[in-house]
Amino acid sequence: QKEVEQNSGPLSVPEGAIASLNCTYSDRGSQSFFWYRQYSGKSPELIMFIYSNGDKEDGRFTAQLNKASQYVSLLIRDSQPSDSATYLCAVNGWSSASKIIFGSGTRLSIRP
Amino acid sequence: EAQVTQNPRYLITVTGKKLTVTCSQNMNHEYMSWYRQDPGLGLRQIYYSMNVEVTDKGDVPEGYKVSRKEKRNFPLILESPSPNQTSLYFCASSLAGDGNQPQHFGDGTRLSIL
């Protein structure tokens, strides 16, 4: 089992709709969770980070963390064509002592 | 401007010829890390450093060396590069040494080992 798993996609969502991206992780003691966006040929850039169970909202983005079920999700409201990118989930595991594990990413495509 | 700077951005070289990719950050960050990115595999951590003179292996350290003699610099060394190290490499840094803060990434270095 991979330590951090994401559906590779592509996930196709119509413009204006909600895009939902999911990530599961295996290290139950993981402490911090990150979502990065990566455009083709570019470096990852931070979208959201979350440490506690529940929801965290920033503009059109909401991160949701459920430690009991070991998943973290990212919701993008009012999706725009500029949101088309690969979204990377990253986890800092407790048992791995500051080692950061990335999922393989979900490719999101927003269709006009 | 706060940034992570990698050099070179592109390099084509041959098997066995030692090379160094430099990484420098100007944000006084404690945590620095190197990743490689290959199609379908996402970002895989090679080495990370929680502070000066403190480094540890990530998931794919074989064939790589690092050093952290100064807080701002974290070079990646390939002593004897091989074709399977052809990849896109990213350096990143974050404020806290425990890695629990968001990372800032460099622009990437595309290495081709022939």
Side-chain angles (χ1 to χ4, degrees):
Chain A
Q1 181 192 2
K2 286 185 184 177
E3 292 176 271
V4 178
E5 292 206 54
Q6 297 181 252
N7 188 323
S8 62
L11 175 65
S12 181
V13 172
E15 185 174 355
I18 296 175
S20 177
L21 306 164
N22 297 313
C23 172
T24 58
Y25 59 93
S26 60
D27 186 343
R28 187 168 287 279
S30 296
Q31 299 175 358
S32 49
F33 308 85
F34 308 91
W35 283 100
Y36 292 89
R37 177 177 63 198
Q38 187 177 26
Y39 294 114
S40 181
K42 300 294 186 183
S43 58
E45 55 181 337
L46 180 75
I47 296 294
M48 296 282 291
F49 63 96
I50 187 167
Y51 301 134
S52 306
N53 272 332
D55 294 1
K56 179 181 179 182
E57 187 174 318
D58 184 1
R60 296 187 296 113
F61 300 96
T62 299
Q64 300 175 317
L65 175 61
N66 184 324
K67 288 188 176 182
S69 300
Q70 294 175 244
Y71 81 79
V72 56
S73 61
L74 179 70
L75 301 178
I76 307 175
R77 288 182 299 280
D78 188 24
S79 297
Q80 303 297 309
S82 60
D83 294 327
S84 297
T86 297
Y87 289 80
L88 302 168
C89 171
V91 177
N92 183 342
W94 171 77
S95 63
S96 52
S98 302
K99 191 166 72 171
I100 296 172
I101 310 294
F102 277 80
S104 55
T106 297
R107 192 153 51 94
L108 174 66
S109 175
I110 307 299
R111 57 182 190 271
Chain B
E1 180 190 352
Q3 58 186 0
V4 178
T5 304
Q6 295 179 229
N7 280 297
R9 291 290 314 281
Y10 305 91
L11 179 63
I12 301 174
T13 187
V14 296
T15 299
K17 186 177 180 182
K18 181 179 178 180
L19 68 91
T20 299
V21 185
T22 63
C23 174
S24 180
Q25 51 92 6
N26 63 359
M27 295 168 281
N28 201 35
H29 283 176
E30 291 187 346
Y31 189 95
M32 297 187 74
S33 181
W34 275 103
Y35 298 90
R36 61 177 289 173
Q37 188 171 36
D38 303 289
L41 296 178
L43 283 164
R44 293 182 291 168
Q45 195 172 39
I46 302 171
Y47 270 96
Y48 62 95
S49 169
M50 291 173 282
N51 214 324
V52 176
E53 303 290 2
V54 182
T55 63
D56 207 348
K57 296 177 181 178
D59 277 337
V60 288
E62 296 79 18
Y64 304 95
K65 285 176 57 176
V66 294
S67 67
R68 187 93 181 271
K69 294 184 171 59
E70 305 164 284
K71 200 170 188 178
R72 64 182 292 127
N73 296 323
F74 190 45
L76 179 70
I77 303 158
L78 284 72
E79 294 268 5
S80 183
S82 62
N84 64 11
Q85 293 177 298
T86 291
S87 188
L88 177 60
Y89 291 84
F90 288 104
C91 180
S93 71
S94 63
L95 183 62
D98 60 8
N100 277 320
Q101 297 292 319
Q103 294 181 89
H104 299 253
F105 284 82
D107 287 337
T109 295
R110 190 168 291 280
L111 280 182
S112 293
I113 315 293
L114 305 178

